[in-house]
Amino acid sequence: MSAEELSRLYAEQEPGSAPAYQRVKDLVTGEIVGGRWREGEALPSESQFVESLGLSRMTVNRALRELSAEGLLRRVMGVGTFVGRRKSSSALVEVHNIADEIEGRGHRHSARVLSLREELPDPEIAAQLGLDGRRSAFRSRVVHLEDGAPVQLEDRFVHPDFAPGYLQQDFTSRTPYSFLSEVAPLGRGEHIVEAALPSAEESEILGVGPSEPCLVIRRRTWSGEDVVSVARLVHPGSRYRLEGSFDAH
């Protein structure tokens, strides 16, 4: 973008309506929301902003720093400032196939299977599935990736009576949700959402630091009157969010 174009856009921010740094933020935000600056695209340098807009470096730096903290921009030391990656999102009160969510955003879904086996669940999981303490369940641990970046660690226990053939599935080519939807169609679901720090293993699998909060969803799903699966879904807080809406009736 030329210096003249930057100057024109800044002038359109209605002088006097907001502090200079906020007008710079509004300019940048408007270009991103309007699709003229796209995800991963480099912005003009800080020096270019200063020269084109006639502002102090401190003012420009504050605007870009705050937009970076808000996740709209990504600053790389010694390289430049880029339009940030949009957070993946999921509906808060609905149960969806994560592959469909990712592909619906125009991105690529892939998966890694960490384990797929039959095992004896702990008493709490067994009770939720309606199993006595002597019966095994099917367990799958799958990492879901969006354009190669891990966005969900899915740890799922499945009642064996409702999902024959579960252990024979290739969950790199289809999701557990997809398979279960065929053999035991979803009747209803239950969510418990919490924030938690990742374990050392989760930190390594998801590629996050040990102090980065994660969004954890504990999900139980029914088919008819029976609980079919109990899952713990761990998402990096910096790459995932939940969305929802409601009517006040």
Side-chain angles (χ1 to χ4, degrees):
M1 179 176 288
S2 67
E4 293 77 11
E5 181 73 0
L6 266 181
S7 180
R8 180 185 65 78
L9 291 171
Y10 181 70
E12 292 175 354
Q13 297 299 316
E14 300 182 13
S17 63
Y21 81 89
Q22 184 61 53
R23 291 167 60 198
V24 175
K25 290 180 66 176
D26 292 343
L27 183 164
V28 173
T29 301
E31 294 302 287
I32 294 173
V33 171
R36 290 174 290 276
W37 288 345
R38 300 181 181 276
E39 182 178 306
E41 184 175 338
L43 269 65
S45 68
E46 191 171 295
S47 296
Q48 287 175 301
F49 274 105
V50 169
E51 182 178 346
S52 301
L53 306 184
L55 300 173
S56 70
R57 185 171 295 274
M58 181 180 298
T59 296
V60 172
N61 180 269
R62 176 177 177 178
L64 300 182
R65 188 177 68 249
E66 289 190 4
L67 287 172
S68 298
E70 294 165 11
L72 199 63
L73 299 180
R74 179 173 60 89
R75 308 187 78 185
V76 181
M77 186 71 68
V79 178
T81 302
F82 303 85
V83 178
R85 180 189 181 96
R86 293 186 64 185
K87 283 189 177 183
S88 305
S89 63
S90 180
L92 179 60
V93 296
E94 299 176 338
V95 178
H96 293 296
N97 185 359
I98 189 171
D100 293 340
E101 291 180 355
I102 290 172
E103 290 165 5
R105 292 190 286 270
H107 295 172
R108 179 177 58 87
H109 170 265
S110 58
R112 288 189 288 114
V113 177
L114 302 179
S115 61
L116 179 60
R117 63 193 181 207
E118 184 173 353
E119 67 175 70
L120 197 67
D122 67 36
E124 181 181 355
I125 298 293
Q128 290 179 0
L129 286 170
L131 296 172
D132 66 42
R134 298 181 298 276
R135 283 202 67 187
S136 296
F138 299 150
R139 184 183 187 184
S140 57
R141 299 182 74 231
V142 181
V143 184
H144 298 280
L145 303 97
E146 182 167 351
D147 292 339
V151 293
Q152 183 189 93
L153 170 58
E154 173 190 329
D155 187 356
R156 185 185 297 269
F157 285 87
V158 176
H159 196 303
D161 291 350
F162 303 107
Y166 189 82
L167 299 181
Q168 285 71 54
Q169 300 306 305
D170 177 6
F171 290 131
T172 63
S173 61
R174 70 184 311 187
T175 63
Y177 173 95
S178 173
F179 175 74
L180 291 174
S181 295
E182 290 182 3
V183 299
L186 177 69
R188 64 187 177 97
E190 172 189 85
H191 293 304
I192 298 175
V193 183
E194 60 188 358
L197 294 178
S199 66
E201 181 192 27
E202 291 166 347
S203 179
E204 181 178 358
I205 291 171
L206 295 172
V208 299
S211 61
E212 177 176 331
C214 287
L215 188 64
V216 180
I217 302 174
R218 300 180 187 274
R219 176 180 293 163
R220 192 160 45 145
T221 54
W222 282 257
S223 184
E225 299 299 316
D226 301 299
V227 176
V228 172
S229 76
V230 175
R232 182 175 184 270
L233 313 173
V234 184
H235 311 83
S238 61
R239 292 184 225 128
Y240 207 84
R241 69 185 180 193
L242 288 173
E243 297 177 348
S245 60
F246 61 89
D247 294 321
H249 293 309

